[in-house]
Amino acid sequence: MREITKFYIDGQWVEPTELNLIDVINPATEKSAGQVALGTAADVDAAVAAAKRAFTTWGVTSVEERTAVLNAIVAEYQKRMDDLAAAVTEEMGAPAGLSKAAQVPIGLGHLTTAAATLPTYSFGEDRGSHRIVKEPVGVCGFITPWNWPLNQVMCKLAPALATGCTVVLKPSEIAPFSAAIVAEIMDAAGVPAGVFNLVNGDGPGVGVALSSHPDVDMISFTGSTRAGIEVAKNAAPSVKRVAQELGGKSPNIILDDEDFAKNVAGGIATMMLNSGQSCNAPSRMLVPNSRLAEVAEIAKATGADLTVGDPNSSVRLGPVVSEVQFDKIQGLIERAIDGGANAVIGGAGRPDGLETGFYVKPTVFTNVTNDMEIARTEVFGPVLVVIGYDSIDEAIKIANDTEYGLAGYVSGKDLDEVRRIGGAIRAGSISLNGAQVDPAAPFGGYKKSGNGREWGGDYGFEDFLEVKSLLGYSA
């Protein structure tokens, strides 16, 4: 049983102002895996004050000093990768293999990318007689989710530290174990006191206090569009910078060529990664109407490999994160079936033999149109819809007919056509022919999928910098 009863503030583990513990539920067992203390506005005040004090010195450190600290964090992170993987599996149910192969390494990737980018990044340039400089925005509040916990913490934390900002982190109270280890890593790496602070808590108790705090210069939030809107409202009175990475309903356009079967199978497998709990999941597969029957057969064959079960065993899918999430997904599946969608694999209920744990059947729906709830709502579970098209122009129109714009996918033999279609999709990150995510490429959304760009080395740095003009600098 893990017990996280203290917060990391100003370089020390400190008691909360009020002790209020909640259970952290292991989604595979439905039993408590430990407890976490929920913070209050007073705890946020203490953390923000520490970050504000630390900014006066950290914000003016040299590139060399910050690079050295980032490299020290990398070294300590590498020592704790097994611990981090075990924590992620326990807190949010990712299969152990996925935690070790992806959940933990992606966090390391953001750290190493920032450390490699910083030494050559330009924080100033001369334009005529003027000097344009980039300075750290200040104290940053981070509110991060449970689905890829280390990815979401590190894609914010690495560029923030690299640019000279200080940080107060509120991780998800559903998955706080890995974030506590991150705080231990920061401490072991010698990050100066107050530069990194951790306050656990829920949205009403800590999230609101952090996003509305007058001494927080920037709030960076990852989560649902609904919650992101509330964060922005809370931040508005203090006119702080707000960066948001929100929901998605990403299209996957598959072209009619000899690689069709391979690309359909690959799209299904990518959708089911992390039990479908990825904001950029390719959840709408667009295929030629003439090949819909073939897709159903490919889905049935692919489904045999989509094993579900104990995340500490050799399975492809573990549980979804919580009972709330399980119930939401079941409701969407049931209403889709009632509305005429055809589940060619999966459907409602738990997989056979799994009576305990928040396990969902990997589900692929055909007979879906883009106006149906299941095609428009972010399910955040292992549920894929297949939608037919008669022409590429129609496919692009369907792809863009969504309030979201986080990601898109295009697969086909004709690379020029794949590139053209990718350029026509209104979304921030487009994967062509199965290209994998890259910490050196910017990530973020159009429309209701958010604003700003994370990851991406130099692009990731930009969100954490203010631009100042020194007029007549060389006059």
Side-chain angles (χ1 to χ4, degrees):
M1 296 286 284
R2 302 172 189 257
E3 299 292 331
I4 306 172
T5 61
K6 295 182 179 181
F7 306 142
Y8 188 76
I9 298 175
D10 207 15
Q12 302 288 330
W13 288 98
V14 301
E15 300 284 349
T17 55
E18 302 173 15
L19 186 59
N20 179 19
L21 300 175
I22 63 166
D23 287 323
V24 178
I25 303 301
N26 182 326
T29 65
E30 301 186 42
K31 295 179 180 179
S32 175
Q35 292 186 312
V36 62
L38 298 182
T40 64
D43 299 305
V44 173
D45 286 342
V48 171
K52 186 176 181 180
R53 289 191 299 271
F55 180 67
T56 62
T57 52
W58 181 251
V60 295
T61 51
S62 67
V63 166
E64 292 75 19
E65 289 173 300
R66 296 197 300 278
T67 300
V69 169
L70 283 172
N71 285 328
I73 296 170
V74 167
E76 294 299 327
Y77 190 102
Q78 289 172 324
K79 295 176 185 177
R80 301 296 301 275
M81 290 181 75
D82 286 345
D83 295 337
L84 288 165
V88 169
T89 293
E90 187 173 29
E91 67 191 359
M92 59 76 60
L98 180 67
S99 292
K100 291 178 180 179
Q103 287 273 3
V104 175
I106 189 65
L108 180 62
H110 294 305
L111 286 168
T112 57
T113 298
T117 301
L118 180 55
T120 58
Y121 184 82
S122 176
F123 287 89
E125 62 175 302
D126 293 318
R127 293 192 177 183
S129 63
H130 312 313
R131 178 75 172 163
I132 311 299
V133 297
K134 298 176 182 178
E135 299 178 340
V137 70
V139 176
C140 299
F142 294 162
I143 301 174
T144 59
W146 46 260
N147 59 317
W148 287 87
L150 293 164
N151 173 68
Q152 302 299 347
V153 169
M154 289 304 172
C155 76
K156 302 177 191 297
L157 181 59
L161 297 183
T163 53
C165 296
T166 58
V167 170
V168 179
L169 168 66
K170 187 208 90 66
S172 170
E173 69 278 18
I174 295 174
F177 297 155
S178 56
I181 297 174
V182 167
E184 294 171 0
I185 290 168
M186 299 296 117
D187 190 71
V191 176
V195 171
F196 171 84
N197 305 273
L198 168 70
V199 179
N200 285 301
D202 58 16
V206 172
V208 171
L210 189 60
S211 57
S212 62
H213 203 290
D215 289 333
V216 171
D217 300 292
M218 173 182 175
I219 194 80
S220 181
F221 172 82
T222 299
S224 70
T225 298
R226 176 197 57 76
I229 291 169
E230 293 305 310
V231 167
K233 288 179 179 178
N234 293 331
S238 54
V239 199
K240 59 171 55 68
R241 183 176 298 183
V242 178
Q244 299 172 312
E245 194 261 279
L246 307 175
K249 194 70 178 176
S250 300
N252 180 10
I253 298 176
I254 297 179
L255 303 189
D256 188 1
D257 57 37
E258 62 263 38
D259 282 346
F260 183 79
K262 180 188 77 172
N263 291 331
V264 169
I268 294 170
T270 301
M271 176 61 228
M272 302 306 171
L273 184 72
N274 206 41
S275 297
Q277 297 170 124
S278 300
C279 51
N280 62 339
S283 53
R284 289 184 298 144
M285 180 178 287
L286 278 58
V287 302
N289 274 313
S290 61
R291 304 190 77 166
L292 281 169
E294 186 178 348
V295 171
E297 294 307 310
I298 296 168
K300 292 173 185 176
T302 304
D305 294 328
L306 299 174
T307 52
V308 185
D310 179 359
N312 287 300
S313 64
S314 298
V315 294
R316 295 281 293 277
L317 287 79
V320 297
V321 75
S322 67
E323 183 176 14
V324 169
Q325 192 68 14
F326 176 86
D327 289 343
K328 172 197 168 186
I329 295 166
Q330 293 301 317
L332 285 163
I333 290 172
E334 290 167 1
R335 290 195 296 277
I337 293 170
D338 290 344
N342 177 36
V344 295
I345 63 169
R350 286 178 168 85
D352 292 342
L354 295 172
E355 303 304 321
T356 300
F358 306 124
Y359 296 102
V360 175
K361 297 175 185 177
T363 299
V364 174
F365 280 117
T366 58
N367 197 32
V368 174
T369 56
N370 202 51
D371 59 350
M372 295 170 67
E373 179 191 32
I374 198 67
R376 305 200 73 80
T377 299
E378 184 178 38
V379 178
F380 228 63
V383 178
L384 170 68
V385 299
V386 180
I387 301 171
Y389 66 83
D390 288 320
S391 69
I392 294 299
D393 286 344
E394 183 187 13
I396 294 170
K397 182 178 179 180
I398 294 170
N400 289 330
D401 182 17
T402 172
E403 65 182 3
Y404 298 112
L406 186 59
Y409 301 75
V410 188
S411 297
K413 289 286 288 185
D414 185 340
L415 183 56
D416 287 339
E417 181 71 344
V418 167
R419 289 168 173 163
R420 182 187 74 82
I421 297 167
I425 297 175
R426 295 280 296 168
S429 179
I430 310 296
S431 174
L432 308 180
N433 284 331
Q436 299 300 300
V437 295
D438 181 354
F443 186 82
Y446 290 21
K447 299 186 280 188
K448 287 189 177 180
S449 286
N451 53 66
R453 290 298 180 267
E454 297 182 320
W455 306 13
D458 52 346
Y459 283 98
F461 284 19
E462 299 295 323
D463 266 5
F464 296 98
L465 293 167
E466 294 281 14
V467 178
K468 176 185 288 183
S469 299
L470 295 171
L471 306 178
Y473 184 84
S474 60

